Amino acid sequence: NAGVMQNPRHLVRRRGQEARLRCSPMKGHSHVYWYRQLPEEGLKFMVYLQKENIIDESGMPKERFSAEFPKEGPSILRIQQVVRGDSAAYFCASSLQGRNTEAFFGQGTRLTVV
Amino acid sequence: DAKTTQPTSMDCAEGRAANLPCNHSTISGNEYVYWYRQIHSQGPQYIIHGLKNNETNEMASLIITEDRKSSTLILPHATLRDTAVYYCIVRVDTGNQFYFGTGTSLTVIP
């Protein structure tokens, strides 16, 4: 059973471009979480999704950021018009439903904005 | 709001038990305590979780006090590969998010 797969592992974008980060959850997992980690800082929660629904986006910046988890295919974190401050590691995690379930993380996408 | 308090850093001698404390004095009755670690800049790795009973798996043991206001993660025989940042997380009652605090940076010394 493959783990959480994120791609690309490294992404370089020029200021003003769009960045699309993909996350394929573990098989059978219907919950996906996105986190951002700035250099030398901790993980910050961004958004929590179930299939076709955004459950909690309280950690998402109000502009330029969006996330989706369609019925078919991976979850996508989309950053429009990237700026240098968006440079960070973005981690995705997935879990089964329920409070008594652990979440498993992918290896992250390192976004560098030049 | 991470709801947990952990020491910033700790050292442990290789081969000894590493005991990592965590305070979560405002934990609610049905909130679970989770432990993760992050080695270097890799994705966080799940270690263990529990509600009120002590738990043990192949990686570690989790001791939760009777009043559930604090817990201790025990790595029974620390190795150099256990050097990492360890996060104690109280999973919020609604929404199922995992909120990471600042964690404890554990250094295992040869």
Side-chain angles (χ1 to χ4, degrees):
Chain A
N1 187 12
V4 178
M5 303 300 292
Q6 290 189 248
N7 67 82
R9 293 291 306 278
H10 300 274
L11 181 62
V12 179
R13 284 288 178 265
R14 295 185 183 278
R15 281 179 294 172
Q17 290 185 319
E18 178 180 287
R20 283 189 179 232
L21 289 63
R22 295 174 184 78
C23 170
S24 296
M26 288 181 69
K27 188 175 182 180
H29 286 191
S30 59
H31 295 230
V32 164
Y33 314 77
W34 284 94
Y35 290 79
R36 177 166 64 176
Q37 187 170 34
L38 295 169
E40 308 302 322
E41 294 189 13
L43 291 106
K44 300 298 183 185
F45 167 78
M46 298 183 75
V47 63
Y48 161 50
L49 310 101
Q50 294 178 21
K51 286 281 188 180
E52 299 185 280
N53 286 307
I54 296 175
I55 305 302
D56 182 353
E57 56 183 349
S58 59
M60 288 278 271
K62 293 288 184 267
E63 297 177 346
R64 303 187 297 109
F65 285 72
S66 63
E68 62 177 11
F69 188 18
K71 186 176 180 181
E72 301 291 337
S75 175
I76 306 289
L77 179 67
R78 181 183 178 204
I79 311 172
Q80 295 178 292
Q81 300 175 328
V82 296
V83 301
R84 289 243 173 93
D86 296 333
S87 295
Y90 292 83
F91 292 99
C92 164
S94 74
S95 74
L96 296 168
Q97 183 164 348
R99 277 194 298 276
N100 185 23
T101 57
E102 59 271 35
F104 296 94
F105 282 78
Q107 289 305 302
T109 293
R110 271 109 185 125
L111 172 65
T112 302
V113 179
V114 297
Chain B
D1 183 4
K3 299 186 67 172
T4 62
T5 304
Q6 299 177 253
T8 302
S9 62
M10 291 180 63
D11 293 338
C12 177
E14 188 179 15
R16 297 294 198 110
N19 297 285
L20 292 92
C22 178
N23 288 320
H24 33 79
S25 58
T26 61
I27 192 171
S28 299
N30 58 349
E31 289 179 326
Y32 285 77
V33 178
Y34 287 75
W35 283 84
Y36 282 78
R37 71 181 182 184
Q38 187 175 27
I39 298 173
H40 251 288
S41 299
Q42 298 177 18
Q45 179 186 21
Y46 165 78
I47 301 174
I48 199 167
H49 75 282
L51 182 63
K52 54 184 177 182
N53 298 320
N54 298 337
E55 302 287 345
T56 297
N57 62 20
E58 66 278 5
M59 288 184 68
S61 294
L62 173 61
I63 309 298
I64 302 175
T65 57
E66 195 169 338
D67 63 7
R68 303 211 323 122
K69 292 185 177 182
S70 65
S71 61
T72 301
L73 178 74
I74 301 172
L75 307 177
H77 305 286
T79 71
L80 299 179
R81 286 177 294 182
D82 292 322
T83 292
V85 178
Y86 287 77
Y87 295 96
C88 168
I89 299 164
V90 170
R91 197 173 191 185
V92 297
D93 196 25
T94 58
N96 295 332
Q97 304 92 329
F98 295 84
Y99 280 99
F100 287 76
T102 53
T104 297
S105 178
L106 174 69
T107 301
V108 180
I109 302 168

